[in-house]
Amino acid sequence: MSKLRPPDSSHLHLGCFFPAGQTTFLLSDEAVRRTPPMTRKNLVDFAQAAELVGFDSLFIADNWSGHQRISEASKHQGPSYHAALLAMALFAVTENIGVISTIHTSYHHPAHIARMGATLDAFSGGRWGWNIVTGFLEQEAGLFGDEPVEHDERYRRAAEFVDVVKLLWSEFEPIDHRGQNYTAAGRLKAPRPVQQPHPFLINAGASPAGSAFAARYADMMLMMAENEDRVREVDERLEALTAPLGRSVATAAFCVSIVREGEGEAEEEWDRLTASINLAATKELAADIVGGVESMQGIFAKMGEDEAARTFGSAGSTIHLVGTAEQVAEKLISLKQNTNATGVFVNFPLWSAAELQTFTPVLPHLLDAGVWQPPETRKYSW
């Protein structure tokens, strides 16, 4: 499959959220007990199952700091493998599926990411994507001997960072960049990225500064949105920013999914999982994430501490795809037809290769509705 971009946005991009810990959005102790250990075999099986089912991409979240000790001890949010290294391993055991790795701008030099990204994209034949994050945790900055950088300033630095990375990818003659935050002189050693004009770039910035960054640099903007109204709000804000630039940026929402054959079975499964939300781990994570991510603050601002933590730990900032295959397909079709969203990234709280197979019956409904095409019938990954 040649890795070209789609000619239009008529088809839904189906991304699969790769396990970035034993649990991610649904911080359920029951889910910890019922998901497999994060071993090489289980993670490889999961990636290969995602490709077999028909997902377009795997999304790997990442952070550096291990200060969330309650979450780690209760096996939520950990272990968390380095996203770029994990991407290379997954490319070696898959053939067509894209892999998007989260890499921070604040803790690298542009030449690091240019070299890593070029290697990943060339080795995979053009299947790599970069989730550009700046990093906001004080504890992460401390690992690198740095002080935290003010929010909007992080995005200003990230803009220069990405400019230099793209220069190193595209220029075959030596560059001489002497900017406000970065200096880079010389040329990048081969290989260069296969995708042109550059690998797939995504970002989840939802603050004014983050949205402006995504409008200028991203091919796709990820969003935390619990319903279609919230998705439309993000779409409208992004369109207002991209129109003056003459750009079009796709959007995609995070979802959680439980699909079962019988009526009400998925909802019963959801209730079993949410009955065991680990409130201590949830409060610890919420203090970091809700406190540092503006889009999350808006979702939880009107709740008390316990209610906000429980809602956060119950995937309250995502779209819930819980039901039969037909019911889940109806939600995805509605999202595609009633918003500008061109993709979703689906998290499976009970992740495993077998659990991914439960999503297979959803796809014929999407195909019949004309909002999705199987990967083998088209000529693009993203």
Side-chain angles (χ1 to χ4, degrees):
M1 181 193 297
S2 62
K3 302 303 180 291
L4 304 175
R5 305 291 167 84
D8 57 50
S9 59
S10 61
H11 295 129
L12 195 67
H13 175 97
L14 286 180
C16 180
F17 199 102
F18 198 82
Q22 208 67 42
T23 66
T24 303
F25 293 117
L26 192 64
L27 303 181
S28 160
D29 288 336
E30 175 76 3
V32 168
R33 289 190 289 271
R34 293 174 56 191
T35 47
M38 294 185 67
T39 62
R40 174 187 177 277
K41 182 181 186 306
N42 290 332
L43 295 180
V44 166
D45 286 350
F46 185 88
Q48 291 176 330
E51 183 168 60
L52 183 64
V53 168
F55 282 96
D56 299 290
S57 68
L58 296 165
F59 176 91
I60 309 174
D62 201 7
N63 56 51
W64 285 84
S65 177
H67 68 281
Q68 295 159 339
R69 304 301 295 275
I70 299 172
S71 302
E72 188 174 282
S74 55
K75 298 186 178 178
H76 295 283
Q77 301 286 297
S80 179
Y81 293 101
H82 188 284
L85 294 176
L86 185 55
M88 182 60 88
L90 300 182
F91 284 137
V93 296
T94 56
E95 296 297 329
N96 294 307
I97 197 167
V99 180
I100 299 164
S101 47
T102 298
I103 308 178
H104 298 67
T105 56
S106 297
Y107 313 134
H108 297 88
H109 185 276
H112 289 135
I113 308 309
R115 178 77 166 132
M116 271 192 273
T119 298
L120 287 161
D121 201 56
F123 181 84
S124 66
R127 293 191 281 142
W128 178 67
W130 176 18
N131 177 35
I132 306 167
V133 296
T134 64
F136 62 88
L137 292 171
E138 179 181 353
Q139 294 87 348
E140 284 187 325
L143 283 173
F144 296 88
D146 295 333
E147 295 293 327
V149 176
E150 186 270 332
H151 177 277
D152 288 8
E153 176 61 21
R154 292 200 310 269
Y155 279 103
R156 284 190 287 271
R157 294 185 186 186
E160 183 185 349
F161 189 105
V162 176
D163 283 337
V164 178
V165 170
K166 290 166 73 173
L167 269 178
L168 289 168
W169 279 339
S170 62
E171 297 298 322
F172 282 83
E173 295 302 319
I175 70 166
D176 186 11
H177 175 86
R178 302 180 187 279
Q180 188 171 355
N181 299 291
Y182 301 102
T183 298
R187 64 187 298 273
L188 188 68
K189 186 179 181 68
R192 299 300 173 87
V194 170
Q195 295 176 81
Q196 295 299 321
H198 52 72
F200 188 58
L201 304 180
I202 67 175
N203 176 257
S207 65
S211 297
F213 176 87
R216 185 171 293 276
Y217 289 98
D219 299 305
M220 177 180 280
M221 178 176 166
L222 305 181
M223 68 179 80
M224 307 300 293
E226 68 275 30
N227 53 46
E228 290 184 4
D229 287 341
R230 190 88 175 177
V231 171
R232 282 189 287 269
E233 288 177 16
V234 176
D235 284 336
E236 290 169 5
R237 184 169 69 246
L238 184 61
E239 188 174 1
L241 291 166
T242 55
L245 302 174
R247 299 191 76 232
S248 177
V249 176
T251 55
F254 286 119
C255 305
V256 292
S257 180
I258 297 176
V259 183
R260 295 293 182 266
E261 186 175 351
E263 185 77 29
E265 291 179 1
E267 289 81 0
E268 290 176 5
E269 187 77 273
W270 179 267
D271 289 343
R272 280 193 292 271
L273 295 175
T274 55
S276 66
I277 297 300
N278 188 312
L279 202 57
T282 298
K283 286 184 177 180
E284 180 183 59
L285 288 165
D288 279 347
I289 298 173
V290 178
V293 181
E294 287 191 21
S295 60
M296 303 288 279
Q297 293 168 12
I299 294 172
F300 299 110
K302 297 179 181 180
M303 301 179 185
E305 181 185 1
D306 280 8
E307 182 188 1
R310 188 169 296 281
T311 303
F312 172 81
S314 301
S317 55
T318 65
I319 292 172
H320 296 175
L321 304 175
V322 178
T324 64
E326 185 174 5
Q327 290 167 342
V328 167
E330 286 175 357
K331 289 184 180 181
L332 289 171
I333 293 165
S334 177
L335 181 71
K336 185 70 185 72
Q337 293 178 340
N338 296 310
T339 74
N340 291 333
T342 54
V344 291
F345 285 87
V346 184
N347 171 267
F348 292 85
L350 292 173
W351 68 268
S352 70
E355 184 70 14
L356 281 181
Q357 296 293 335
T358 66
F359 202 81
T360 302
V362 174
L363 302 182
H365 297 290
L366 303 182
L367 183 62
D368 290 343
V371 302
W372 177 80
Q373 275 190 329
E376 62 269 17
T377 67
R378 51 184 162 76
K379 296 181 178 179
Y380 58 87
S381 291
W382 309 113

